[in-house]
Amino acid sequence: MSFFVESTGNKEFKMVPPGSHLARCYRIVDVGTQATEWQGQQKFLRKVMLGWEIHGEEEDGTPLLTEEGEPLAMFKNYTLSWSENANLRKDLQGWRGTPWTDAEANRFDLKNILGQWCMLNVIHAEGKNNKMYANVAGISPVPGIIKKSGLPAGVNELQLFRLAEPDWVMFDTFSKGLKAKIEASPEFKALKKGQAPLA
């Protein structure tokens, strides 16, 4: 299957520390058309979320793991656009480290990045609610010296969710916040009304 182009209660989540971290893309989620505010104006844009598992350590050597012993995760939402100035295209080009071919510049299959490794540049920034968040500020290729030493085994199952061909078993594994976001989209509402899936 191809794909062309959150809070639970008051639990405190361990944030990925700032810096450059080895990461593996394990999740791509079509969240549908979402309301977005830009310069005081509301727009409705098709969005996609990328998710990575983080493989690394704190400065003191403590592994970056959740309380359950799983890798910490990072997520970033993008407008599903492949225009030259789109953030999705810019980040993926930074990830690969080389310019796109003519064919790739016209159309790119996001499925190709599932299971692939990269370096995430993580920064901490204050959100509108005055809370601190860890954000993906940039993506780059894995340095050769790290590749030579051997990449770790991936932990999370690879997930590709598209509203055009929804996998409801996968959908049920998503957090309440992510489900609510997808459910608010017109694409999801059309599915629930029995209409044909929207591409």
Side-chain angles (χ1 to χ4, degrees):
M1 179 170 61
S2 296
F3 190 7
F4 294 102
V5 268
E6 75 202 340
S7 172
T8 56
N10 295 319
K11 182 178 178 180
E12 290 294 325
F13 288 93
K14 184 177 179 182
M15 283 200 302
V16 176
S20 185
H21 300 282
L22 180 65
R24 170 180 172 264
C25 180
Y26 76 94
R27 178 182 281 183
I28 302 174
V29 177
D30 173 10
V31 295
T33 300
Q34 301 289 324
T36 304
E37 187 172 323
W38 174 250
Q39 296 181 341
Q41 293 185 336
Q42 190 177 58
K43 295 183 177 181
F44 292 89
L45 301 169
R46 191 66 178 264
K47 295 288 185 175
V48 61
M49 184 191 78
L50 303 187
W52 297 266
E53 60 185 35
I54 306 299
H55 292 257
E57 299 177 342
E58 300 271 14
E59 289 185 1
D60 62 2
T62 304
L64 292 175
L65 299 174
T66 65
E67 292 180 359
E68 294 76 24
E70 299 172 349
L72 296 182
M74 291 287 300
F75 303 96
K76 186 171 181 177
N77 293 299
Y78 295 91
T79 298
L80 190 61
S81 170
W82 202 238
S83 66
E84 190 171 351
N85 293 321
N87 288 331
L88 178 61
R89 180 168 167 173
K90 289 179 180 178
D91 273 4
L92 294 189
Q93 180 155 303
W95 184 341
R96 65 187 275 142
T98 58
W100 301 105
T101 65
D102 290 341
E104 291 167 333
N106 292 325
R107 196 178 194 215
F108 180 74
D109 190 346
L110 285 178
K111 182 182 68 175
N112 294 334
I113 66 174
L114 268 181
Q116 299 302 311
W117 295 84
C118 64
M119 302 300 295
L120 291 186
N121 180 25
V122 177
I123 61 171
H124 286 184
E126 188 174 306
K128 293 180 180 179
N129 58 2
N130 298 321
K131 291 184 178 180
M132 292 299 294
Y133 292 92
N135 299 312
V136 176
I139 311 176
S140 58
V142 178
I145 191 169
I146 294 180
K147 289 181 179 179
K148 287 180 181 178
S149 64
L151 294 169
V155 175
N156 290 293
E157 179 183 355
L158 301 182
Q159 297 182 326
L160 174 62
F161 180 83
R162 293 188 64 212
L163 281 165
E165 302 173 84
D167 180 336
W168 297 120
V169 174
M170 184 186 299
F171 180 82
D172 285 340
T173 68
F174 295 161
S175 67
K176 289 182 179 179
L178 180 54
K179 285 181 183 177
K181 192 171 188 177
I182 296 171
E183 289 168 351
S185 72
E187 291 82 5
F188 182 91
K189 292 175 182 177
L191 285 170
K192 287 303 178 181
K193 289 180 180 179
Q195 298 175 7
L198 302 175

